[in-house]
Amino acid sequence: MAPLYDSVSQLPIGDPQGFSALIESPPVFQAVSDFSKPLIVSASGWRMVFASSRDEEDASPEIQPEASILAGTMALAFAQILAAATEKSFDQLTITLAMDSRPTGPALSDAMLRVFLDLGIHVHYLFIASAPEAMAYTKQNPQLDGFCYISASHNPIGHNGVKFGLESGSVLGGDSARELITLFTSLRTDPNIPQTVFDHFKSCSPSLLEKTLHDSHTHKNHSLQYYRDFSHQVAADTTDPQLIQGRIADLHQGIRNNRVGILAELNGSARTLTIDRQYLEDLGVAIRVVNGVPRQITHRIVPEGRSLDLCIAELEKAYQEDSSFQLGYVPDNDGDRGNLVYLNASTGKAQQIEAQEVFALTVMAELSWLVYTGQLTYDEKNKANQRVAVAINGPTSMRIEELCRAFDVEVFRAEVGEANVVTLAQNLRKKGYLVRILGEGSNGGNITHPSTVRDPLNTICSVLKVLTMKGDSNASASPKSTSASSPGAGSPSGLFEIYCHRIGRPYNPDFTLQDVLQALPEYITTSAYEDRAILRIKTEEHSLLKERYEQLFRREWPEHESWFNKTLGVVTWREVNYEGIHERVGFGPEYRTGSQRGGLKILFKDETGIPVAFIWMRGSGTEPVFRVLADVRGSDPSLEEYLLHWHVSMIQKADSQGS
């Protein structure tokens, strides 16, 4: 049998006589155990360097036999968890299997696919698909019970890993994630596991494998259609087909009235094989794509800092040729986040929008949208008539609280991890809250309901609504624009005008994106991916490190209290610990549980009780690093530098006490 090739990218999607089938005998248990020691397992994803050389920058597609066994073990664990969760036998299960554009993806999928098929599970194999596409397909297609997505997200190209989820389309979190991790840990420590997985490789039907690979093209086309339709649902904020049609038509008309061009620098990611270009063109956006070929990865994968330089240069070039080009985006490799750059019309130069600012921009957009559509209204005392909330993680900037105070909307925080924020939002909805937008400002991107995953298309649609939907200027969109079902029914104003009214700012109808950004609350926040934000810590017990840190903070606070009071007006502080969806206010280990690996924050408040700054720390769940961050109201970078320097010095002192 010959390898089968993707008809669009011409890349090989699989080979019935592939890598796993060529393993002549199972590697010994100790070799598999030693190979898997660097594997990081968390609710955010399972990741390690899978390239054969063990070099994280290695772009080779080859993996070792031990890696195939490890991938097969993951498939076994997920199959058992999925069967238990759905109360179905293996042969009654149907799952999505997809990957980002990393070179090791096909070899890992080969191993997992053989195990799934040999167990009797039906697989819709999508080959390369963005994470939001694969998850939307799983969520919207009633045939599907869950998904397995092969990716290491923003990590370097030699890394890879897996995300798992159920039919909801969201990544496993909470008890489900812990159960999967417990089962996988039990399997990987079983001396018989290499032979068990090897037997599945060998007994998998070649004809069934070939048929599954052959059907990939059909499932991929269905996936793209589901994703397009779901993206319309998210943008329009409704599942009503008539409302979707009217609201998308109004957005299209707004874009026609206020021309927008977008530069998509896709960096060879999974978004090269999804709907981006066609979707945006259908909305009326002028679009240019750079690095639009899968695996055309020309710079580091994390879309932060210097990774945005090419997009900045290309956006400036596009703007010189066509002044409608004012926005650009760069995704990570699985395409579930995309950070933005914009063209400053006053200078003619492009610049990046910090991740925290991107999230704030989308929160402002979607809260204004709720007012625009009449879902959020106010009484004569300017108090919200509805219970509306935004769900975020611990290190998201406090600019979100300030935005939400302007709309009389509540803010709730969870531990770092997309699954935690999604679960928190779901719980809030059960309590009667309307939660339109949620996410992790510290990590970039946003989750817009009903989506359960970050998606740059959702981010872009939020920005497009702000820039182009200007109330009565959309009146020509369709006859429905004056009806009760139209987007403008709740308010005659455009989105930015609504926001300006809420904050008491004069509104200029000829505003630019620069004006919108300047209207957002001013905060300086440490970027999660700059060198200052990452520490190497020797102390393995995070509980011990945090207890030492608390002692140091209490001892050193009197030395810094005067500076805080005079510079920031701080009169008090409090500690907050985050675990899962829980936020515990209190000082000391009694406010933490288990391994105490959640986030710890010190929050500083002014005399009115409003927080004006915080410092935060947490050990990464997907990388062997310790992350730190400072957030402070205002525009003076020296304030953030002071906070972070003191914060880091205490962490380093706490770490050195154990050496």
Side-chain angles (χ1 to χ4, degrees):
M1 298 179 189
L4 297 178
Y5 289 83
D6 174 54
S7 60
V8 177
S9 67
Q10 302 305 312
L11 293 171
I13 66 170
D15 184 354
Q17 299 297 334
F19 187 84
S20 301
L22 296 177
I23 300 176
E24 297 183 358
S25 61
V28 298
F29 170 73
Q30 192 58 51
V32 177
S33 179
D34 290 344
F35 175 86
S36 66
K37 283 180 180 177
L39 179 68
I40 295 174
V41 178
S42 79
S44 300
W46 301 12
R47 300 175 192 172
M48 65 178 287
V49 178
F50 273 97
S52 288
S53 66
R54 310 311 294 272
D55 177 359
E56 71 174 9
E57 299 295 344
D58 185 357
S60 168
E62 285 80 25
I63 63 173
Q64 297 177 14
E66 291 82 1
S68 284
I69 297 297
L70 184 61
T73 306
M74 294 176 182
L76 274 177
F78 179 59
Q80 294 180 36
I81 289 294
L82 187 60
T86 58
E87 298 182 344
K88 292 181 178 181
S89 60
F90 289 144
D91 62 355
Q92 294 175 313
L93 293 172
T94 304
I95 66 169
T96 301
L97 177 62
M99 70 187 78
D100 66 17
S101 67
R102 293 166 194 276
T104 54
L108 293 173
S109 71
D110 179 77
M112 302 188 84
L113 185 55
R114 289 173 189 274
V115 171
F116 287 138
L117 293 178
D118 196 51
L119 290 172
I121 296 174
H122 307 279
V123 180
H124 289 196
Y125 182 53
L126 305 183
F127 186 47
I128 295 175
S130 71
E133 175 195 330
M135 295 175 192
Y137 180 54
T138 304
K139 180 183 179 74
Q140 296 297 101
N141 188 333
Q143 298 179 40
L144 294 163
D145 299 294
F147 67 84
C148 172
Y149 187 78
I150 299 169
S151 171
S153 190
H154 60 269
N155 288 38
I157 195 167
H159 291 247
N160 219 324
V162 191
K163 295 179 181 180
F164 302 97
L166 304 181
E167 78 284 350
S168 65
S170 59
V171 175
L172 281 180
D175 291 341
S176 297
R178 285 188 286 273
E179 289 171 9
L180 177 58
I181 291 170
T182 299
L183 177 56
F184 171 70
T185 301
S186 175
L187 289 175
R188 72 189 282 199
T189 55
D190 179 356
N192 297 315
I193 195 64
Q195 184 66 54
T196 300
V197 173
F198 176 79
D199 289 343
H200 282 298
F201 290 166
K202 291 301 180 184
S203 60
C204 177
S205 165
S207 60
L208 178 59
L209 178 58
E210 184 178 27
K211 182 180 185 306
T212 302
L213 295 174
H214 184 270
D215 290 343
S216 172
H217 180 70
T218 299
H219 293 312
K220 174 67 175 180
N221 284 338
H222 290 162
S223 175
L224 292 172
Q225 187 59 50
Y226 273 106
Y227 184 33
R228 177 190 175 278
D229 293 345
F230 185 64
S231 296
H232 276 346
Q233 286 184 27
V234 175
D237 190 18
T238 180
T239 57
D240 182 314
Q242 189 173 9
L243 271 178
I244 291 173
Q245 183 179 7
R247 291 179 175 179
I248 295 301
D250 279 343
L251 175 57
H252 189 187
Q253 183 63 40
I255 293 170
R256 287 182 62 185
N257 292 345
N258 305 273
R259 292 182 63 242
V260 178
I262 294 178
L263 192 289
E265 198 277 279
L266 301 181
N267 198 31
S269 70
R271 298 212 70 89
T272 59
L273 291 179
T274 192
I275 65 173
D276 291 37
R277 179 193 286 272
Q278 190 62 55
Y279 187 81
L280 292 172
E281 285 181 344
D282 288 347
L283 286 177
V285 173
I287 184 166
R288 294 189 186 184
V289 175
V290 177
N291 290 330
V293 176
R295 298 189 186 148
Q296 191 177 44
I297 301 169
T298 62
H299 55 75
R300 67 174 189 161
I301 290 172
V302 60
E304 296 266 358
R306 66 179 183 274
S307 299
L308 303 179
D309 288 349
L310 177 60
C311 188
I312 287 172
E314 291 292 334
L315 180 58
E316 290 178 355
K317 200 181 301 182
Y319 175 75
Q320 290 170 5
E321 299 172 14
D322 181 348
S323 61
S324 72
F325 276 86
Q326 54 185 297
L327 194 65
Y329 70 102
V330 184
D332 55 1
N333 200 259
D334 61 345
D336 66 352
R337 59 181 284 199
N339 283 343
L340 304 182
V341 305
Y342 78 102
L343 202 295
N344 186 332
S346 63
T347 65
K349 298 294 183 182
Q351 61 193 76
Q352 66 177 289
I353 309 176
E354 295 292 340
Q356 297 271 12
E357 197 171 17
V358 170
F359 184 64
L361 175 61
T362 56
V363 169
M364 180 275 285
E366 293 304 330
L367 293 182
S368 298
W369 170 263
L370 292 179
V371 178
Y372 185 67
T373 55
Q375 298 176 75
L376 177 55
T377 60
Y378 298 90
D379 62 20
E380 65 279 0
K381 295 181 180 179
N382 212 22
K383 293 293 183 180
N385 291 317
Q386 295 78 22
R387 297 174 74 195
V388 179
V390 173
I392 57 179
N393 70 2
T396 295
S397 169
M398 294 181 301
R399 65 191 81 190
I400 301 306
E401 274 88 353
E402 188 166 333
L403 276 169
C404 288
R405 283 195 294 273
F407 286 91
D408 195 28
V409 165
E410 296 180 67
V411 177
F412 296 85
R413 291 179 181 257
E415 175 58 284
V416 166
E418 192 172 288
N420 293 323
V421 178
V422 170
T423 302
L424 175 61
Q426 291 169 342
N427 288 351
L428 289 169
R429 292 188 190 101
K430 291 176 183 176
K431 295 177 180 179
Y433 283 94
L434 169 61
V435 187
R436 167 63 174 160
I437 190 163
L438 54 143
E440 300 185 280
S442 56
N443 294 335
N446 58 281
I447 303 171
T448 310
H449 186 69
S451 182
T452 53
V453 64
R454 293 174 297 182
D455 190 334
L457 277 187
N458 299 160
T459 303
I460 289 166
C461 282
S462 293
V463 177
L464 286 173
K465 285 189 287 190
V466 170
L467 292 177
T468 68
M469 300 190 75
K470 300 181 178 181
D472 293 339
S473 68
N474 284 350
S476 62
S478 71
K480 293 178 183 175
S481 289
T482 57
S483 74
S485 64
S486 75
S491 169
S493 306
L495 272 65
F496 186 51
E497 185 177 0
I498 289 169
Y499 174 63
C500 288
H501 173 72
R502 295 303 308 173
I503 64 173
R505 181 187 179 98
Y507 171 71
N508 175 7
D510 297 321
F511 67 88
T512 66
L513 182 54
Q514 174 76 4
D515 297 319
V516 177
L517 294 172
Q518 288 177 344
L520 296 175
E522 280 192 308
Y523 283 75
I524 300 292
T525 314
T526 313
S527 170
Y529 292 95
E530 59 181 298
D531 292 341
R532 299 183 308 140
I534 301 174
L535 300 180
R536 301 285 174 176
I537 299 297
K538 299 184 292 294
T539 306
E540 295 184 359
E541 292 185 37
H542 289 199
S543 58
L544 186 59
L545 180 71
K546 288 175 180 176
E547 193 167 354
R548 292 173 185 158
Y549 176 90
E550 288 171 327
Q551 293 168 0
L552 284 164
F553 178 85
R554 180 162 278 171
R555 191 183 312 150
E556 295 186 14
W557 168 247
E559 303 171 23
H560 297 268
E561 184 174 7
S562 177
W563 180 89
F564 273 88
N565 184 261
K566 292 178 181 178
T567 310
L568 299 175
V570 169
V571 298
T572 187
W573 59 267
R574 69 176 184 179
E575 180 180 311
V576 185
N577 285 275
Y578 300 95
E579 292 178 358
I581 63 171
H582 303 291
E583 182 180 39
R584 299 187 180 95
V585 179
F587 189 90
E590 60 266 34
Y591 293 94
R592 298 184 288 273
T593 63
S595 62
Q596 302 186 26
R597 300 181 73 86
L600 184 153
K601 175 192 289 183
I602 304 293
L603 197 63
F604 303 98
K605 295 183 173 184
D606 65 17
E607 61 182 6
T608 67
I610 293 177
V612 295
F614 72 71
I615 47 181
W616 170 91
M617 64 177 180
R618 177 186 180 266
S620 172
T622 57
E623 299 170 83
V625 298
F626 208 82
R627 296 197 178 279
V628 295
L629 180 146
D631 182 53
V632 58
R633 188 169 65 190
S635 58
D636 184 354
S638 68
L639 302 179
E640 181 268 346
E641 292 169 4
Y642 182 99
L643 286 167
L644 190 67
H645 180 268
W646 179 40
H647 182 42
V648 168
S649 72
M650 287 188 289
I651 296 172
Q652 291 173 335
K653 289 175 187 175
D655 189 40
S656 65
Q657 288 178 11
S659 60

